[in-house]
Amino acid sequence: DLFTDITEAFSTFLGISLTTTFCLQIPYFLYTIWSFLVPSFLNSERKIFTFFTLLFLGVYSLSLSLTIFYVFPKVLEFFLTFQLQNSEIHIQCEPKISSFTSFFWKTFFLTQGICQIPFWIFLGLYFRYLDVSFFFKSRKFFYFFLLSFSAFVVPPDFFLQFFFSIFFICFFEITLWSALLFQKYREKFSNFSTQHEKNLSMKRKKF
């Protein structure tokens, strides 16, 4: 890597430090909120809040691991294959520090946005903004969208395209069936709460 501006290296390292600190502080920040709010919740509310906290941290850790250990190295390896060195033409990649780090964070935030989709789906199911039957009925449309999204976002390499297509489909199916189980649990819990409230009201009327 190289830099062409006097302050570029300093500002880049400063940006890396701030962004990395923010990303590493997210789990601690969520734990602080969880520790503050959970004691005031009922047992059922505590379970739901803990579930969503762990779900967010799980997909956050997944996206961070995917970006560092697979997505970014593979994407970088693909673009570096366009280097050309022969007796007539010499094309070599010498990226600036700021361009390299900016590319990494763009890859990370894109992966983060994709991996956070299950969290928002489960949140929508919990507040009844979504219904899991819609995803089952529109499964073909979602498959087409995922394959198209993979074709546009992933570099045009056969193995990368194949891997990410399979990954998106498996990720969608796991989210779908997990959402179905979650919705059934939500309905069961809602029926139990309603019955419990009726029993309490009947007891109050007797007294």
Side-chain angles (χ1 to χ4, degrees), residues 65-128:
S65 302
L66 276 176
T67 304
I68 295 175
F69 297 110
Y70 190 84
V71 177
F72 183 73
K74 288 296 182 181
V75 172
L76 187 64
E77 180 184 351
F78 168 78
F79 284 115
L80 289 178
T81 57
F82 288 96
Q83 296 182 113
L84 182 62
Q85 295 182 9
N86 54 39
S87 58
E88 299 178 356
I89 302 175
H90 182 78
I91 301 175
Q92 184 175 354
C93 178
E94 295 182 354
K96 296 167 64 176
I97 296 177
S98 58
S99 300
F100 185 83
T101 55
S102 176
F103 180 66
F104 172 80
W105 290 118
K106 287 178 182 177
T107 307
F108 169 68
F109 287 122
L110 177 62
T111 311
Q112 182 69 226
I114 294 171
C115 290
Q116 287 293 342
I117 291 175
F119 173 79
W120 296 107
I121 290 177
F122 277 79
L123 202 64
L125 291 173
Y126 178 75
F127 288 105
R128 302 184 187 279

Side-chain angles (χ1 to χ4, degrees), residues 4-196:
T4 57
D5 194 357
I6 296 175
T7 61
E8 182 179 352
F10 172 76
S11 60
T12 301
F13 285 128
L14 183 62
I16 291 173
S17 301
L18 292 174
T19 312
T20 305
T21 302
F22 173 76
C23 291
L24 294 177
Q25 284 291 328
I26 288 178
Y28 177 75
F29 178 70
L30 288 177
Y31 172 74
T32 304
I33 296 176
W34 180 87
S35 302
F36 179 76
L37 295 177
V38 158
S40 63
F41 288 161
L42 298 173
N43 187 41
S44 57
E45 296 172 337
R46 187 178 299 132
K47 290 180 179 178
I48 292 295
F49 189 74
T50 302
F51 169 77
F52 279 110
T53 303
L54 293 176
L55 177 62
F56 182 88
L57 290 176
V59 293
Y60 177 81
S61 302
L62 174 65
S63 64
L64 186 61
S65 302
L66 276 176
T67 304
I68 295 175
F69 297 110
Y70 190 84
V71 177
F72 183 73
K74 288 296 182 181
V75 172
L76 187 64
E77 180 184 351
F78 168 78
F79 284 115
L80 289 178
T81 57
F82 288 96
Q83 296 182 113
L84 182 62
Q85 295 182 9
N86 54 39
S87 58
E88 299 178 356
I89 302 175
H90 182 78
I91 301 175
Q92 184 175 354
C93 178
E94 295 182 354
K96 296 167 64 176
I97 296 177
S98 58
S99 300
F100 185 83
T101 55
S102 176
F103 180 66
F104 172 80
W105 290 118
K106 287 178 182 177
T107 307
F108 169 68
F109 287 122
L110 177 62
T111 311
Q112 182 69 226
I114 294 171
C115 290
Q116 287 293 342
I117 291 175
F119 173 79
W120 296 107
I121 290 177
F122 277 79
L123 202 64
L125 291 173
Y126 178 75
F127 288 105
R128 302 184 187 279
Y129 294 125
L130 297 174
D131 191 274
V132 73
S133 61
F134 166 75
F135 296 98
F136 277 100
K137 293 177 181 178
S138 308
R139 181 180 287 179
K140 293 181 180 179
F141 170 77
F142 282 107
Y143 272 27
F144 176 77
F145 173 77
L146 291 172
L147 294 175
S148 302
F149 180 79
S150 175
F152 281 106
V153 174
V154 180
D157 178 79
F158 173 76
F159 293 103
L160 283 177
Q161 289 279 346
F162 178 77
F163 171 79
F164 279 98
S165 298
I166 297 299
F167 171 76
F168 286 144
I169 291 175
C170 293
F171 191 66
F172 173 74
E173 287 296 327
I174 292 172
T175 303
L176 197 63
W177 289 100
S178 301
L180 179 63
L181 294 175
F182 177 78
Q183 182 165 300
K184 288 185 176 181
Y185 170 79
R186 178 75 177 85
E187 292 174 354
K188 182 179 179 181
F189 172 75
S190 178
N191 294 333
F192 174 78
S193 300
T194 305
Q195 186 65 33
H196 183 65

